[in-house]
Amino acid sequence: MALNAASHNPTGEKTGPTAGPPPQASSKLKAAISEASSTDPLGQHAGGKDGGDKSAEKKVKREKELEKERKKAEKVKKLAEKQAKFMAIAPPAAQKVKEKKNPNAPSEATLPPYVEDTPAGEKKILKPLGDDYHKAYIPDVVESAWYAFWEKQGYMKPEAEVAHKTDKNGHFSISIPPPNVTGALHIGHALTLALQDSLIRWNRMLGRPTLYVPGSTQSVTEKMLWRTRKLTRHDLGRTAFVDLVQEWKVEYREKINNAIRRMGASVDWSRERFTMDDDYQEAVRETFVRLYEEGLIYRSNRLVNWCTQLNTALSNLEVANKEIEGRTLLDVPGYERKVEFGVLTYFKYPIDGTSDFIEVATTRPETMLGDTGIGVNPKDERYTHLIGKRARHPFVDRLIPIFADEYVEMDFGTGAVKMTPAHDFNDFALGQKHKLDTINIFTDNGLMNERTGTFKGMKRFDARYEVVAKLKELDLFCKAENNPMKIPMCERSKDVIEPLIKPQWWMRMQDLGAAGLKAVKDGEIKIRPETAEKSYIRWMSNVQDWCLSRQLWWGHQIPAYHVEIEGEKKTGGEEADDQSRWVVARNEADAETIAKERYPGKQIRLTRDSDVLDTWFSSGIWCCATLGWPKKTADFENYYPTSMLETGWDILFYWVARLIFLSLRLTGTVPFKEVYCHSLIRDSEGRKMSKSLGNVVDPLDVMKGIELEALHEKLKSGNLDQKELATATKYQKTAFPEGIPECGADALRYALISYATGSGDISFDIKVIYGYRKFCNKIYQANKYVLGKLDAGYSPPQSASMSGHESLAERWILRKFTIAARDINRALENREFSDAASIAYHFWYTQLCDVFIENSKSLIMNGSMQEQESVKQTLYTVTDGALRMVHPFMPFLTEELWQRLPRRAGENAPSIMLAAYPLYDESYDDPASEEAYDLVLSVSKGIRSLTSQYAIKENGVVHVQLSDATSRSTAEAELQSIRSLSGKNVGSISILGGSDAKPVGCIPFVVSSTVTVFLLVRGRVDMDAEIAKAKKKLEKSAEAVRRQRKLVEDEGYKKKVDEAVQEAERRKLADTEAEVREMEGVVQMFEGLKVEGE
């Protein structure tokens, strides 16, 4: 099959350097690509190494070449058979004779949308590789039909029959961190899916039963209701609101699931779970009731983090602290003007019955309306005379006691601290200690209530300014100054959190936290990377009680019932919440039974708590409940605990910690054996992704492609204000000036996996993703080449064992293959995802495609029948193995190509996902052959470098001098390979021994201390220019020798460094010294040639 041998690019694309490797995603991948630029035998990665001049004089043909031409007629007869075999998988009517490439053929951009003919769920009907849609890699074409096939055939279930099923290492199971059902997948979800599915597919191919559980969780929906209908939940009422959210759930759940399918995640859809399913709700109720009965859940009037926008309490983890350095104006929801923060306001209270005053300071002047005490340090002599006296509040009828406590810092502010127990966590604790009144001054909506006198009805931050104004009127205002501080903000609504006293359900965390901490410290659970584990230990060592109640309507309603007794007077107000009047039960019937036993002979009425549970509480049993807990189901018995959890480090405390301690308490075991925390994905400018910045990336847009205008339209459909919309639009124009090109799922997955280094945030760049699409095309075209070289009806040997007839190049690639397989397995075992992707990339790109496939052309063209047959067998073996190797990262492309390959006898895997993953094969591990062929590649590289450097376009005369007998023997045996890999601009190559005289009129390229390549340049170059270049290079080499000699002769270095490392450095010194000697000879030679010419 005629292909673009230089770069495997689609017809019409430039070859050579523009087909270079995809962008780098890690330091190791960068190193791999850098190496490619020097080891590529055709010089494809470096400018000027284009293979020579077409006008070069034809060389005299050898007998072997003439013999090959005599057989050419026979080979032509086989062309039709090859083409038939190549198209055999397409319907007969679609077959056609191979045509010459038409420069006017439609490009991908002009092709009509691809229509898949395969019935849904059936094995894909593979089309001829010569048609317009299959000449080059097109993601939409390659990825069509396969997922439905995998799903319908049950290949993604743990019961699927894999090629080498084994229970040696047990099962491998993962539960997808459930996305919000009324949301959409973002690029962070795509990263999670790519990493998780790579492990699932890898383990499945290793023969382990694998279970990948999909699902979703309930989400906060009120913001969406306001955005879409300009209504609040109260406008609808609870029943209508819940019904509407159920409708949204169905719509968005389907969208999320389709996106998961598009990513190629091989989840078992028959086991899909949703946190609001009946069985799951039962598990949540069981959890709450059990923990209540065990004394771990209790109800209490305590301060909570209150969001006035969402009208609900929040846990500490749902509060983001914004740090400011001093006076700062911030946008607060519900306020037209920005609100002032970061100011410490000083004012004074009059002392009752005297003319004295006591000065205090606060960053929240409005809270003084709820002050019920003033604290001073008992050692502070400024205030000892005031301890026990009372201050008079200037705005409300209230006397404020002055008390002493060592908690008060004498050197902060005035040394006297106003106390607002109802609205400050520290004040609350001191208020309880000193029996201060707790007076709430805010409504749930953030307005001043009836206890604030004339301020009633004001917004809290409007009251802030009004209080200061009134203090000034009464001459009680002292001063204001900048004050660095942290502003607690709701992560969802961006509202400023207000501490309020609320009766809530709480969980005692001391024992639970200790158990979760012990599990990690004792090694029952391994958290990677190490930084994440340290953060977990630090947080769990100081965990606080957890507020479980949320004042929302969508979620798991708390299974608690308030008991009202007929005839008894009700007590009003949240502060009067009677703890004994609550019963907790699995259902209302059980609650009624408990209440009647508690209040015998009384007429009672039960009212269920209208609050719902924190979503992290219901999600905290995800791993066990999705497998059937609290029932002892087969899935729970077989797959729990799960193997690992892969998630973002940002929910390590929200979710991971709670999964651990709840599982330990409820099931007696850990929920998983390891946790891998991936990094946060930031945009190409290093910023956190945010809708208001317009940098949130939808993975579907990356996979399918989207125009810039369509991206803008998606922004307009959101809830951004005009300023945010302008900012977001500007970013999109900068980041995606021509929109987002179609990259496909495989390229997206591969890029994300390559990003996963386990440390540092990820800088997302669409150019990197598209670079991996080009890598996909490299693989695609390489497989087309291999299929084109296999005869019609080709049947690979039953075994992949070596025949003993392999050439040096074949032994080299087989060794590279088995080492790559070994190293990828190790990397995945250690969760070194980026390393695994880098190894696979390096093998495919720089070893298989750019070296072996290129060399196979000369072997097939010039080799004997036995040599040709051997290289075809090796091409098949490494191509089949390399597709399996990269399948966990690129499932669609590898399935498409693997299905086109013939099978070995006895191999019955119906899909590559059920085939065996490559393992290390000692019989392939031939380091001597690798070293020998590396010599061939190094010599070829030297020749190409010289001919490029000195612009030799034709009839280049080359001598290779080798002082080592083994190296010389290798070079002589592989002279044809060296010639093939050196380019068409070389006319002759001769091999010299170490004792032979150095050729005159030549420039050297030092391969090593024992190997040098010489290129004849006399009469073909500018001597003065070359003398100047040679002297400059000599000077540089001499300096390198001085540095290297200083290193190896340093006594401290000799004592500290391993002998093997020292030996490597000594060899480096020897090579550098050899280069100096050669360059000294070059300078002398050029000067001599110049004299001769004169």
Side-chain angles (χ1 to χ4, degrees):
M1 176 166 286
L3 296 175
N4 179 351
S7 67
H8 300 312
N9 275 0
T11 303
E13 285 196 14
K14 294 181 179 180
T15 61
T18 57
Q24 308 86 348
S26 72
S27 59
K28 292 193 176 182
L29 191 52
K30 289 178 181 178
I33 296 173
S34 176
E35 182 181 345
S37 67
S38 60
T39 59
D40 176 14
L42 293 186
Q44 293 171 200
H45 300 273
K49 303 174 186 178
D50 56 3
D53 193 332
K54 292 182 179 180
S55 62
E57 181 179 343
K58 294 183 179 180
K59 63 180 181 180
V60 178
K61 295 179 180 177
R62 299 180 302 142
E63 179 61 30
K64 183 178 287 187
E65 293 173 310
L66 294 173
E67 175 65 20
K68 177 255 178 185
E69 288 189 354
R70 285 194 290 270
K71 295 177 180 178
K72 188 173 181 179
E74 296 176 8
K75 290 189 177 182
V76 170
K77 294 180 182 179
K78 295 182 180 180
L79 181 60
E81 294 177 348
K82 289 183 181 179
Q83 195 69 19
K85 170 256 159 192
F86 211 55
M87 299 183 177
I89 44 187
Q95 296 182 10
K96 57 185 179 181
V97 178
K98 179 182 174 185
E99 300 175 351
K100 292 183 179 180
K101 291 183 179 180
N102 180 3
N104 298 317
S107 67
E108 179 185 340
T110 60
L111 287 172
Y114 180 73
V115 178
E116 180 54 62
D117 297 333
T118 305
E122 299 302 313
K123 187 173 182 179
K124 186 173 183 178
I125 300 170
L126 296 173
K127 303 295 181 63
L129 289 172
D131 75 11
D132 291 334
Y133 290 98
H134 293 81
K135 289 179 179 178
Y137 170 73
I138 301 176
D140 186 53
V141 175
V142 168
E143 295 172 8
S144 65
W146 287 120
Y147 197 93
F149 170 63
W150 298 331
E151 187 175 347
K152 183 178 180 180
Q153 301 303 318
Y155 297 157
M156 299 184 290
K157 296 175 179 289
E159 299 84 3
E161 289 296 328
V162 295
H164 294 72
K165 195 155 190 174
T166 176
D167 293 323
K168 179 180 178 182
N169 296 312
H171 70 273
F172 187 83
S173 58
I174 296 180
S175 295
I176 287 182
N180 290 329
V181 74
T182 49
L185 292 189
H186 53 67
I187 205 68
H189 291 121
L191 173 60
T192 294
L193 291 171
L195 296 177
Q196 289 180 343
D197 194 50
S198 66
L199 290 176
I200 285 287
R201 289 179 179 273
W202 174 61
N203 278 279
R204 185 185 290 121
M205 295 177 77
L206 288 176
R208 299 179 181 124
T210 60
L211 175 60
Y212 193 11
V213 181
S216 50
T217 185
Q218 74 273 16
S219 172
V220 175
T221 53
E222 295 180 48
K223 188 174 182 180
M224 190 165 137
L225 175 63
W226 178 257
R227 186 178 73 240
T228 57
R229 304 194 180 187
K230 300 302 179 185
L231 295 173
T232 69
R233 57 176 166 150
H234 301 285
D235 294 330
L236 288 180
R238 185 161 192 155
T239 300
F241 175 75
V242 171
D243 289 343
L244 177 61
V245 175
Q246 288 285 3
E247 293 178 15
W248 282 343
K249 180 204 76 173
V250 173
E251 176 188 353
Y252 282 88
R253 188 178 185 178
E254 183 178 359
K255 288 181 179 179
I256 288 172
N257 289 351
N258 287 338
I260 292 174
R261 288 181 169 93
R262 189 72 172 78
M263 280 290 298
S266 55
V267 301
D268 183 353
W269 290 106
S270 69
R271 290 172 165 90
E272 182 191 5
R273 295 293 182 267
F274 173 47
T275 54
M276 294 300 288
D277 290 341
D278 291 342
D279 288 345
Y280 200 96
Q281 290 200 59
E282 179 185 342
V284 173
R285 288 192 295 270
E286 179 67 24
T287 301
F288 189 93
V289 173
R290 280 196 196 183
L291 296 178
Y292 175 81
E293 292 174 345
E294 293 173 8
L296 291 173
I297 291 179
Y298 63 97
R299 188 170 176 84
S300 176
N301 271 327
R302 295 178 57 177
L303 271 184
V304 298
N305 298 302
W306 187 261
C307 175
T308 64
Q309 285 293 302
L310 300 178
N311 269 317
T312 186
L314 303 174
S315 72
N316 289 340
L317 289 174
E318 295 170 284
V319 177
N321 289 304
K322 182 179 181 64
E323 295 192 27
I324 57 176
E325 295 302 319
R327 183 178 184 273
T328 305
L329 297 178
L330 299 177
D331 288 313
V332 178
Y335 292 82
E336 293 183 3
R337 64 174 181 173
K338 293 188 175 184
V339 179
E340 180 183 76
F341 295 89
V343 174
L344 191 62
T345 299
Y346 293 76
F347 68 94
K348 55 190 178 182
Y349 277 116
I351 304 300
D352 186 46
T354 74
S355 60
D356 291 339
F357 295 87
I358 185 168
E359 186 176 338
V360 296
T362 180
T363 58
R364 301 160 65 204
E366 69 279 9
T367 63
M368 63 88 65
L369 296 169
D371 284 356
T372 59
I374 298 174
V376 297
N377 193 293
K379 299 177 182 178
D380 194 335
E381 296 180 357
R382 294 174 295 175
Y383 302 116
T384 53
H385 67 291
L386 295 178
I387 296 173
K389 294 187 177 184
R390 295 185 295 180
R392 178 169 294 280
H393 201 289
F395 303 135
V396 293
D397 186 15
R398 187 185 309 150
L399 292 177
I400 303 172
I402 300 171
F403 64 92
D405 196 295
E406 292 186 352
Y407 168 82
V408 178
E409 298 179 14
M410 292 186 289
D411 55 355
F412 179 76
T414 65
V417 181
K418 61 183 282 299
M419 294 289 161
T420 318
H423 300 294
D424 183 278
F425 288 96
N426 294 323
D427 293 359
F428 179 77
L430 278 178
Q432 288 188 319
K433 178 179 178 181
H434 294 278
K435 296 182 173 52
L436 301 179
D437 290 337
T438 302
I439 300 176
N440 176 32
I441 60 172
F442 298 117
T443 68
D444 288 353
N445 293 324
L447 303 180
M448 310 308 292
N449 66 18
E450 68 281 357
R451 295 175 177 175
T452 61
T454 59
F455 296 89
K456 178 185 176 182
M458 287 186 185
K459 293 180 180 180
R460 54 182 169 152
F461 295 127
D462 288 344
R464 171 174 295 186
Y465 295 104
E466 188 64 19
V467 164
V468 172
K470 292 289 186 183
L471 288 171
K472 290 179 178 178
E473 288 179 11
L474 298 175
D475 200 27
L476 296 176
F477 176 84
C478 299
K479 64 177 179 178
E481 62 185 22
N482 283 345
N483 182 67
M485 62 183 296
K486 295 179 180 179
I487 312 297
M489 306 187 76
C490 174
E491 285 203 325
R492 295 199 293 266
S493 70
K494 307 308 177 187
D495 188 22
V496 175
I497 294 299
E498 196 65 61
L500 291 184
I501 289 284
K502 289 285 183 180
Q504 306 280 290
W505 293 98
W506 296 78
M507 181 182 288
R508 304 184 200 280
M509 288 301 304
Q510 185 173 0
D511 292 343
L512 294 173
L517 183 61
K518 184 176 184 296
V520 172
K521 283 189 171 181
D522 290 353
E524 290 185 79
I525 299 174
K526 175 63 180 175
I527 300 179
R528 307 170 196 250
E530 186 179 350
T531 52
E533 182 169 287
K534 289 180 179 178
S535 296
Y536 172 90
I537 291 173
R538 184 170 58 252
W539 184 76
M540 290 293 281
S541 298
N542 189 35
V543 67
Q544 303 297 314
D545 283 4
W546 177 12
C547 178
L548 303 179
S549 304
R550 296 294 180 271
Q551 288 64 47
L552 304 172
W553 288 351
W554 174 245
H556 293 270
Q557 192 170 355
I558 296 174
Y561 302 80
H562 189 263
V563 182
E564 295 180 9
I565 300 176
E566 186 177 328
E568 290 191 1
K569 185 179 179 181
K570 296 182 180 179
T571 56
E574 292 171 341
E575 294 86 345
D577 189 53
D578 189 347
Q579 311 304 311
S580 66
R581 289 294 176 88
W582 287 91
V583 295
V584 172
R586 293 169 178 82
N587 51 60
E588 189 168 351
D590 288 352
E592 187 171 357
T593 299
I594 295 170
K596 286 180 177 179
E597 291 176 353
R598 185 181 298 176
Y599 304 103
K602 302 284 187 179
Q603 292 295 317
I604 61 174
R605 187 177 71 176
L606 300 180
T607 303
R608 188 170 180 178
D609 193 341
S610 62
D611 291 351
V612 299
L613 288 162
D614 180 3
T615 186
W616 297 110
F617 179 89
S618 54
S619 297
I621 60 170
W622 180 252
C623 292
C624 61
T626 53
L627 296 176
W629 184 90
K631 300 172 185 176
K632 297 294 185 180
T633 63
D635 277 357
F636 184 76
E637 295 292 336
N638 293 332
Y639 300 108
Y640 198 80
T642 59
S643 303
M644 74 172 297
L645 182 74
E646 197 290 327
T647 188
W649 62 262
D650 53 331
I651 58 173
L652 183 61
F653 312 126
Y654 284 102
W655 190 45
V656 178
R658 287 156 175 172
L659 283 167
I660 293 172
F661 63 66
L662 285 175
S663 177
L664 287 167
R665 189 76 184 193
L666 298 170
T667 72
T669 185
V670 295
F672 31 70
K673 298 162 190 174
E674 67 170 301
V675 178
Y676 180 87
C677 296
H678 63 243
S679 301
L680 181 71
I681 298 184
R682 297 184 179 274
D683 67 15
S684 56
E685 297 178 10
R687 301 176 303 174
K688 186 175 180 179
M689 290 190 172
S690 165
K691 291 180 180 178
S692 62
L693 293 175
N695 59 358
V696 174
V697 178
D698 185 340
L700 288 175
D701 291 340
V702 178
M703 290 185 279
K704 297 189 295 185
I706 184 171
E707 295 181 352
L708 180 60
E709 286 304 315
L711 283 172
H712 293 341
E713 289 301 315
K714 291 182 73 171
L715 287 178
K716 295 175 184 177
S717 65
N719 62 340
L720 304 181
D721 60 35
Q722 289 302 310
K723 182 178 179 181
E724 291 174 330
L725 183 62
T727 300
T729 302
K730 181 180 179 181
Y731 171 77
Q732 288 186 341
K733 288 179 179 179
T734 302
F736 316 115
E738 298 179 6
I740 298 176
E742 180 190 11
C743 296
D746 287 322
L748 175 60
R749 285 171 60 116
Y750 208 91
L752 292 173
I753 292 167
S754 297
Y755 276 131
T757 61
S759 62
D761 289 342
I762 295 169
S763 181
F764 181 86
D765 191 338
I766 194 63
K767 298 182 184 69
V768 173
I769 314 298
Y770 193 72
Y772 281 106
R773 173 182 163 157
K774 293 182 178 181
F775 178 45
C776 289
N777 185 60
K778 186 84 168 178
I779 295 174
Y780 188 85
Q781 298 295 348
N783 279 265
K784 285 179 67 175
Y785 166 81
V786 172
L787 288 168
K789 295 303 179 185
L790 302 180
D791 299 328
Y794 171 82
S795 179
Q798 185 171 359
S799 169
S801 300
M802 297 176 68
S803 65
H805 301 299
E806 287 81 8
S807 65
L808 179 61
E810 293 171 73
R811 299 195 300 275
W812 178 86
I813 193 62
L814 288 170
R815 207 263 173 168
K816 292 292 188 184
F817 170 71
T818 199
I819 295 302
R822 179 198 68 190
D823 292 347
I824 290 175
N825 279 292
R826 286 178 180 174
L828 290 176
E829 193 69 47
N830 294 324
R831 312 302 185 234
E832 294 167 346
F833 296 98
S834 181
D835 287 353
S838 176
I839 294 163
Y841 170 87
H842 185 61
F843 175 77
W844 264 104
Y845 206 101
T846 65
Q847 294 169 354
L848 179 55
C849 292
D850 286 355
V851 175
F852 183 68
I853 282 181
E854 295 302 332
N855 200 24
S856 72
K857 297 171 184 177
S858 65
L859 292 172
I860 291 175
M861 180 179 295
N862 302 317
S864 65
M865 292 303 294
Q866 184 182 72
E867 289 171 334
Q868 291 180 42
E869 198 59 32
S870 179
V871 76
K872 290 176 185 178
Q873 306 287 22
T874 302
L875 274 173
Y876 174 84
T877 296
V878 294
T879 302
D880 170 74
L883 287 173
R884 299 176 195 231
M885 182 189 293
V886 81
H887 172 75
F889 315 137
M890 294 181 168
F892 294 106
L893 175 62
T894 51
E895 185 76 274
E896 174 91 3
L897 298 173
W898 190 78
Q899 291 288 356
R900 295 179 183 272
L901 287 173
R903 296 284 175 275
R904 299 188 191 277
E907 186 173 15
N908 301 316
S911 165
I912 191 173
M913 68 189 297
L914 303 181
Y917 196 79
L919 301 175
Y920 171 74
D921 186 339
E922 187 176 5
S923 67
Y924 290 170
D925 193 353
D926 183 356
S929 292
E930 180 184 37
E931 183 178 357
Y933 197 67
D934 282 344
L935 172 67
V936 171
L937 296 177
S938 297
V939 169
S940 303
K941 168 196 166 184
I943 295 173
R944 293 195 314 274
S945 177
L946 289 174
T947 55
S948 172
Q949 182 179 355
Y950 294 99
I952 304 300
K953 297 295 184 181
E954 58 181 355
N955 297 328
V957 177
V958 174
H959 307 278
V960 183
Q961 188 168 42
L962 308 100
S963 59
D964 176 75
T966 302
S967 298
R968 179 176 180 180
S969 176
T970 298
E972 289 174 341
E974 297 298 319
L975 185 58
Q976 181 56 36
S977 293
I978 294 173
R979 188 186 302 278
S980 173
L981 295 171
S982 297
K984 296 179 180 179
N985 44 8
V986 176
S988 66
I989 302 176
S990 63
I991 306 298
L992 304 176
S995 60
D996 293 331
K998 295 188 185 307
V1000 296
C1002 295
I1003 190 73
F1005 179 98
V1006 179
V1007 175
S1008 70
S1009 59
T1010 60
V1011 182
T1012 304
V1013 173
F1014 294 91
L1015 174 68
L1016 181 64
V1017 295
R1018 181 167 55 188
R1020 307 185 72 166
V1021 298
D1022 182 334
M1023 292 301 172
D1024 289 328
E1026 295 308 325
I1027 290 172
K1029 284 196 296 184
K1031 286 183 176 180
K1032 186 174 181 179
K1033 188 173 182 180
L1034 173 59
E1035 182 180 343
K1036 184 177 179 181
S1037 298
E1039 177 58 31
V1041 167
R1042 285 191 290 272
R1043 289 197 306 267
Q1044 192 67 14
R1045 183 176 289 118
K1046 182 179 180 181
L1047 174 68
V1048 300
E1049 292 178 354
D1050 183 83
E1051 293 301 324
Y1053 169 82
K1054 293 178 181 179
K1055 293 177 181 179
K1056 296 177 182 179
V1057 179
D1058 182 83
E1059 177 59 32
V1061 175
Q1062 292 189 50
E1063 177 58 31
E1065 294 296 340
R1066 286 193 290 267
R1067 286 197 301 269
K1068 184 177 178 181
L1069 174 60
D1071 290 345
T1072 310
E1073 289 173 334
E1075 184 173 347
V1076 168
R1077 290 193 295 271
E1078 292 295 346
M1079 292 314 301
E1080 288 173 341
V1082 169
V1083 172
Q1084 293 177 4
M1085 177 199 69
F1086 274 129
E1087 289 177 341
L1089 291 174
K1090 180 181 178 182
V1091 172
E1092 291 177 9
E1094 295 173 350

